[in-house]
Amino acid sequence: MAERIGIYVCHCGSNIAGTVDVEEVARWAGKNIDDVIVAKDYKFMCSSLGQAMIEEDIKKEGLTRVVVAACSPHLHEKTFRRACENAGLNPYLFQMTNLREHVSWVCNDKVKGTAKAKAMVAASAERVKYQQPLTPMYVDVNPATLVVGGGIAGLQAALELADAGYKVYLVEREPSVGGHMAQFDKTFPTLDCSACILTPKMSEAGQHENITLLTYSELEEVSGSVGNFKVKIRKKARYVDYDKCTGCGICSEKCPRKIVDEGFEAGLGTRKAIYTPFPQAVPRVPVIDTENCTYFTRGKCQVCSKVCPTEAIDYEQKDEMVEIEVGNIILATGWKLFDCKKIPQYGYGRLANVFTNMEFERLCNAAGPTNGKIVMRDGKTEPKSIAIIHCVGSRDVNFNEGCSAVCCMAALKLGHLILEKTKAEVYSFYIDMRTNQKMYEEFYQRLLHEGMHFVRGKVAEVTDAARNPNEQGKLIVQCEDTLLGKQRRIPVDMVVLMGAIEPQADAKELGLKCGISCSMAGWYTERHPKLDPVATMTDGVFVAGTCQGAKDIPASVAQGAAAAARVQGMITKGKVMIEPIVATINEEACSGCRICNNLCPYNAIEYLEDKGVSRVITALCKGCGTCVAACPAGVISASHFNNQQVFAEIEGALWDAIAECREPETV
Amino acid sequence: MSDDTFEPKIVGFMCNWCSYRAADLAGSARIKYPPNVRIIRLMCSGRIDPAFVLKALSLGADGVMLAGCHPGECHYVDQNYKAMRRYYMLKHTLKSLGIEPERVQLVWASAAEGQHLAEAIEKLVADVKKLGPLRWPSNWKDNEDRLEALESIVKEHEEALEVES
């Protein structure tokens, strides 16, 4: 029996109708495509009226297949599948044609656009005839969640979930949770002490009965899918027994080996070879830095072991692999600072008194290497003038095109701290002042009143080559003041570079492990930039905080909480739908050549020795269809993407070419 | 061979995760490119059966675009490598059939590379325009032997289909 197809072409306001003659497409489809019973155009198919129209037609006209030509299936496929289902039609008997993203928005010519639209509608209509009813599979959701990254976003997400009563594994690469926020002195615009608001969350996470902290650990491997992920985590050897250590700190105190701390102290302070990154670290269990430890490098010392009252030092400890099972994953892996040495004209690394913002944060911090005293690189001289240069490596096509979002406010905060703690003159060299969140503009106004000097212009260079006695022994900031319209040379004692916020160096690698991708700039791609900012294209994997894009603390916290809410939704629902798109082998026709066996990355194809044929293990199959294309006998079928459907789709897409070559025959 | 009014008909096979979304992104960003490629969505570039390409060309397509995630970034671990292997084999076959291999192009485009995909489409369309129409179906009529050989390829797959349904 012939199918009864309904075709619905959406105007999407003028989004589609502007470059595609939608009425013509509908008219044409109704007349020229076989088995089309209904062909309509409508202003907004996704509106409730549009959906109701489909539902009514299915019931009244007895439609057995539905095609909606509108936007990307990634946006509204679910909407229309639901509409079909409501009217009693299997949702997999519906096909979506992408006229908006793939035709009207990328084309200027209405005639050509309409022609392409017709071909794409024909492709869907031909394909939909061969679509088969499918039943989605449902799997249970493991209520445990993995949170990767123990910065503020990850902590927030972990605590929200743990407080709601769910198990959380919080993995952090560093020896302590806290992230970048732990390094700051104050937070803008309220000037709360960063540690004062962060450490309660850290210790809460450390003590929470529902949170398993896995610090100094890295994610190695992820397998499985939404609801049931299996995750391998490498717990790096701390060389300190986690259970015996009381965190008294005697080992660090007595350790004879002192090294520059390039991590937490941003190279300004020192730490010991056995250390916790900072006093409030969670957990308080130290780690041994084997590259610098005297015992590990020279085989002698063992002072830490001798002084430890609980015999917690274990030089024989090895990396440990932990395997956990979780239902969802939240990535909150944060950011890294731009390498300011990449801009040599700013002199970082060459001119002693050029600092990065992270170095300066430590300098301002009362718990930092100078106890919060702002001094020059010599460690004692108080600067009389400081220049803060914005947009170092951000808003710069050579490095990062994007704006780092927080540096303007961070610069104002540092300016305030300098004015509060010293008598120095502070100059801010900015391109545009971006203070667009709650109370931010007010903070900017405050700094204007406090006497920070603002110079609008991108700095050309920072140099120590003096041109006159005034500049002697100073760092000279050369810049075009675009408000005055002239070149200025401002001599200062100290320069702070507001380095860009960049994606972590291994963000892409980690993303791949979890099946999500990065934007061109390297940030994790969310499912929808506006309407679905914490979900990703991979079900069960969510993102939060700066790994998704540069943002401030309030936004990171909001995203952490949002990701947790999404995960809670999954857990409370209990079951998750898996698309029934899988491969199946017709065992009767299989010759047992086993070509497909090795093609599957999930080992989803087993060979049945007794029958001499291969079989797909449905639970493991993810439906890529590679085996289908490889089967020399053509006996593997991919549901929803079988050969018949794709061949029909090709035929539809080329309806005009086929018509053209048939023409001479008929003439 | 080619004239200014020739508008090639091209079929594009794109994977659900990267290249199809790159095309979506090109749309959202309103990047303009020639409207010659009719896009067919597959779950993975690994699903692209060389028979799809031959089918398209045999029905009158002037070119085919195959698009997937970048090597190493496949949503299904490494299936795009398998697509790549098939692509090179297919090119060989096309050459022996007398079809210019430039008519079939493989492109890697991540979901963030709308611009890149649009440029690749522009290039393919320009290349095919330069080559002129393929006219495979009408060429069959001029060359009966070849017609038989090619029809047998298509038939083979159709037979396979019968088993399936």
Side-chain angles (χ1 to χ4, degrees):
Chain A
M1 201 187 79
E3 300 300 342
R4 297 174 66 83
I5 305 175
I7 292 183
Y8 300 88
V9 188
C10 180
H11 293 234
C12 195
S14 63
N15 279 311
I16 298 174
T19 3
V20 171
D21 187 344
V22 285
E23 286 154 19
E24 163 63 12
V25 173
R27 205 179 309 123
W28 174 86
K31 234 171 72 186
N32 292 283
I33 303 174
D34 293 341
D35 306 335
V36 174
I37 305 297
V38 180
K40 292 179 179 171
D41 60 278
Y42 190 67
K43 265 270 177 259
F44 287 103
M45 279 314 298
C46 60
S47 66
S48 49
L49 286 174
Q51 294 181 51
M53 184 162 82
I54 299 176
E55 290 176 31
E56 201 183 305
D57 286 353
I58 294 174
K59 288 179 193 157
K60 261 201 191 147
E61 304 286 340
L63 300 181
T64 58
R65 297 288 189 275
V66 172
V67 173
V68 174
C71 51
S72 174
H74 288 298
L75 281 175
H76 274 307
E77 192 173 50
K78 272 188 190 154
T79 315
F80 296 116
R81 276 185 177 173
R82 213 178 303 129
C84 290
E85 207 171 9
N86 288 343
L89 187 69
N90 184 285
Y92 292 87
L93 299 176
F94 156 79
Q95 176 68 14
M96 191 142 186
T97 314
N98 190 346
L99 292 190
R100 195 178 70 179
E101 279 82 348
H102 289 189
V103 184
S104 66
W105 276 351
V106 293
C107 178
N108 281 328
D109 185 320
K110 199 158 181 174
V111 176
K112 288 178 182 170
T114 307
K116 183 177 176 185
K118 283 180 186 173
M120 296 203 8
V121 169
S124 296
E126 292 304 328
R127 156 190 236 286
V128 83
K129 292 177 189 170
Y130 295 98
Q131 278 175 212
Q132 291 158 350
L134 299 170
T135 319
M137 296 171 283
Y138 289 89
V139 295
D140 291 334
V141 177
N142 184 327
T145 305
L146 169 70
V147 177
V148 186
I152 185 62
L155 282 172
Q156 184 70 28
L159 286 170
E160 297 268 355
L161 283 163
D163 284 343
Y166 301 114
K167 175 88 206 149
V168 178
Y169 296 94
L170 179 56
V171 173
E172 166 60 49
R173 164 152 68 189
E174 300 298 326
S176 165
V177 295
H180 281 105
M181 195 178 160
Q183 288 174 278
F184 303 151
D185 179 34
K186 296 285 194 299
T187 56
F188 59 77
T190 48
L191 300 171
D192 318 73
C193 150
S194 189
C196 312
I197 55 175
L198 176 70
T199 47
K201 279 190 188 288
M202 289 166 57
S203 48
E204 203 185 332
Q207 289 160 6
H208 207 294
E209 54 176 6
N210 285 332
I211 297 180
T212 302
L213 266 193
L214 293 159
T215 51
Y216 209 46
S217 302
E218 297 205 45
L219 193 128
E220 282 279 311
E221 200 185 304
V222 179
S223 60
S225 56
V226 56
N228 298 281
F229 290 105
K230 283 195 178 65
V231 186
K232 273 189 197 158
I233 292 156
R234 176 183 296 277
K235 261 178 103 173
K236 294 179 276 191
R238 293 180 107 96
Y239 304 100
V240 177
D241 190 318
Y242 203 93
D243 297 322
K244 286 185 191 162
C245 175
T246 58
C248 66
I250 292 179
C251 51
S252 302
E253 203 183 305
K254 301 286 180 196
C255 173
R257 185 89 171 93
K258 211 181 221 184
I259 36 238
V260 175
D261 183 1
E262 298 288 353
F264 191 79
E265 294 291 3
L268 286 187
T270 56
R271 62 162 167 81
K272 297 296 184 65
I274 182 165
Y275 70 105
T276 49
F278 50 102
Q280 306 97 319
V282 173
R284 299 196 53 186
V285 182
V287 295
I288 295 181
D289 164 12
T290 53
E291 271 174 36
N292 290 301
C293 167
T294 317
Y295 174 68
F296 276 96
T297 50
R298 285 182 225 151
K300 268 188 221 159
C301 180
Q302 300 199 4
V303 167
C304 49
S305 170
K306 282 168 207 153
V307 298
C308 180
T310 57
E311 296 176 341
I313 310 289
D314 174 9
Y315 299 113
E316 302 302 318
Q317 211 178 58
K318 295 268 178 303
D319 286 7
E320 190 189 333
M321 285 301 237
V322 185
E323 279 193 42
I324 57 168
E325 291 184 4
V326 294
N328 293 282
I329 298 173
I330 297 173
L331 297 183
T333 49
W335 57 279
K336 76 167 171 50
L337 187 68
F338 170 74
D339 176 6
C340 293
K341 285 183 185 145
K342 284 186 185 163
I343 306 184
Q345 61 270 35
Y346 289 172
Y348 180 70
R350 176 167 51 87
L351 304 170
N353 286 309
V354 179
F355 290 74
T356 67
N357 48 339
M358 284 316 284
E359 286 177 336
F360 203 79
E361 290 281 359
R362 294 311 298 156
L363 217 49
C364 292
N365 196 312
T370 57
N371 298 324
K373 256 206 228 142
I374 297 171
V375 287
M376 287 163 48
R377 203 69 84 165
D378 62 9
K380 49 181 190 253
T381 321
E382 193 171 280
K384 292 191 184 66
S385 50
I386 300 179
I388 301 177
I389 302 178
H390 294 230
C391 304
V392 177
S394 57
R395 302 185 72 194
D396 182 336
V397 286
N398 301 310
F399 305 102
N400 298 289
E401 222 180 320
C403 167
S404 282
V406 298
C407 332
C408 281
M409 282 305 291
L412 292 173
K413 174 192 75 180
L414 294 179
H416 171 85
L417 294 177
I418 298 165
L419 292 170
E420 191 181 70
K421 293 183 180 195
T422 69
K423 293 191 181 72
E425 294 293 329
V426 189
Y427 299 88
S428 151
F429 295 85
Y430 68 101
I431 308 177
D432 299 290
M433 191 58 72
R434 297 190 164 174
T435 53
N436 58 354
Q437 299 291 321
K438 192 177 175 185
M439 298 298 288
Y440 285 11
E441 182 64 21
E442 290 88 329
F443 191 70
Y444 176 30
Q445 293 300 326
R446 176 175 170 183
L447 263 293
L448 285 168
H449 290 298
E450 281 180 9
M452 189 165 165
H453 308 292
F454 292 92
V455 182
R456 186 175 184 275
K458 194 159 167 73
V459 171
E461 73 168 337
V462 177
T463 175
D464 57 353
R467 288 190 190 161
N468 56 49
N470 266 350
E471 297 178 355
Q472 216 48 260
K474 300 264 188 182
L475 292 171
I476 305 102
V477 181
Q478 168 92 44
C479 168
E480 185 194 349
D481 187 328
T482 57
L483 293 179
L484 294 178
K486 65 177 192 187
Q487 287 287 330
R488 288 178 76 177
R489 284 170 66 84
I490 299 176
V492 292
D493 290 331
M494 202 168 171
V495 171
V496 182
L497 304 178
M498 302 304 294
I501 286 187
E502 286 187 334
Q504 293 278 13
D506 55 356
K508 202 168 181 176
E509 199 185 316
L510 180 72
L512 279 175
K513 283 178 189 167
C514 301
I516 66 168
S517 59
C518 297
S519 69
M520 296 290 272
W523 308 112
Y524 289 139
T525 314
E526 60 281 9
R527 189 176 269 267
H528 192 282
K530 296 170 202 78
L531 304 181
D532 212 349
V534 296
T536 66
M537 273 311 290
T538 300
D539 289 335
V541 178
F542 299 86
V543 288
T546 47
C547 62
Q548 181 258 359
K551 56 178 65 68
D552 54 17
I553 294 169
S556 295
V557 171
Q559 278 204 338
R566 294 295 299 271
V567 169
Q568 277 186 59
M570 305 275 291
I571 301 171
T572 358
K573 212 170 162 196
K575 285 194 187 297
V576 63
M577 191 195 92
I578 308 259
E579 284 268 9
I581 296 172
V582 288
T584 37
I585 298 177
N586 179 348
E587 286 178 27
E588 276 171 32
C590 173
S591 68
C593 71
R594 305 189 67 175
I595 284 177
C596 56
N597 292 190
N598 292 331
L599 284 176
C600 183
Y602 307 105
N603 296 323
I605 306 178
E606 58 178 348
Y607 181 67
L608 305 176
E609 295 278 354
D610 50 336
K611 290 188 187 164
V613 296
S614 297
R615 184 167 67 188
V616 177
I617 307 166
T618 313
L620 295 180
C621 175
K622 305 227 175 183
C624 69
T626 306
C627 57
V628 185
C631 178
V635 299
I636 311 183
S637 168
S639 49
H640 215 55
F641 288 93
N642 70 27
N643 285 348
Q644 220 172 10
Q645 291 157 0
V646 180
F647 278 144
E649 198 170 353
I650 298 170
E651 264 180 50
L654 291 166
W655 74 275
D656 47 349
I658 297 169
E660 269 167 34
C661 79
R662 275 193 194 136
E663 246 164 47
E665 283 173 28
T666 50
V667 169
Chain B
M1 188 78 183
S2 69
D3 61 82
D4 293 342
T5 57
F6 168 53
E7 284 297 336
K9 296 181 180 71
I10 295 170
V11 177
F13 295 99
M14 304 202 177
C15 75
N16 184 49
W17 305 100
C18 294
S19 43
Y20 192 88
R21 314 204 110 236
D24 276 5
L25 179 66
S28 314
R30 313 297 200 276
I31 299 166
K32 305 293 177 214
Y33 58 81
N36 302 65
V37 181
R38 289 129 195 216
I39 296 168
I40 291 178
R41 178 165 69 125
L42 298 169
M43 291 312 280
C44 177
S45 55
R47 176 69 185 91
I48 300 170
D49 189 328
F52 295 168
V53 179
L54 292 172
K55 175 87 178 177
L57 296 175
S58 73
L59 287 175
D62 301 297
V64 174
M65 169 171 272
L66 316 176
C69 313
H70 282 278
E73 293 178 15
C74 183
H75 188 80
Y76 302 99
V77 187
D78 53 6
Q79 303 301 60
N80 51 359
Y81 282 102
K82 285 142 199 169
M84 184 162 69
R85 279 191 237 158
R86 285 179 197 144
Y87 168 71
Y88 287 114
M89 262 170 44
L90 176 67
K91 284 201 102 143
H92 200 72
T93 312
L94 291 175
K95 225 190 256 172
S96 66
L97 289 170
I99 296 170
E100 301 89 341
E102 301 80 52
R103 288 186 188 273
V104 180
Q105 296 186 6
L106 174 69
V107 179
W108 305 128
S110 79
E113 293 177 328
Q115 181 69 42
H116 173 67
L117 185 77
E119 281 163 15
I121 289 176
E122 231 161 77
K123 178 182 179 297
L124 175 62
V125 172
D127 286 356
V128 174
K129 270 192 178 169
K130 226 178 273 167
L131 293 169
L134 178 60
R135 293 205 189 92
W136 196 352
S138 52
N139 282 345
W140 284 8
K141 287 171 206 125
D142 309 336
N143 194 336
E144 292 292 330
D145 300 343
R146 244 189 216 181
L147 172 65
E148 255 169 54
L150 293 171
E151 271 191 335
S152 73
I153 297 177
V154 176
K155 210 173 255 166
E156 220 170 81
H157 276 274
E158 273 165 8
E159 274 167 21
L161 286 181
E162 279 164 26
V163 183
E164 195 176 340
S165 54

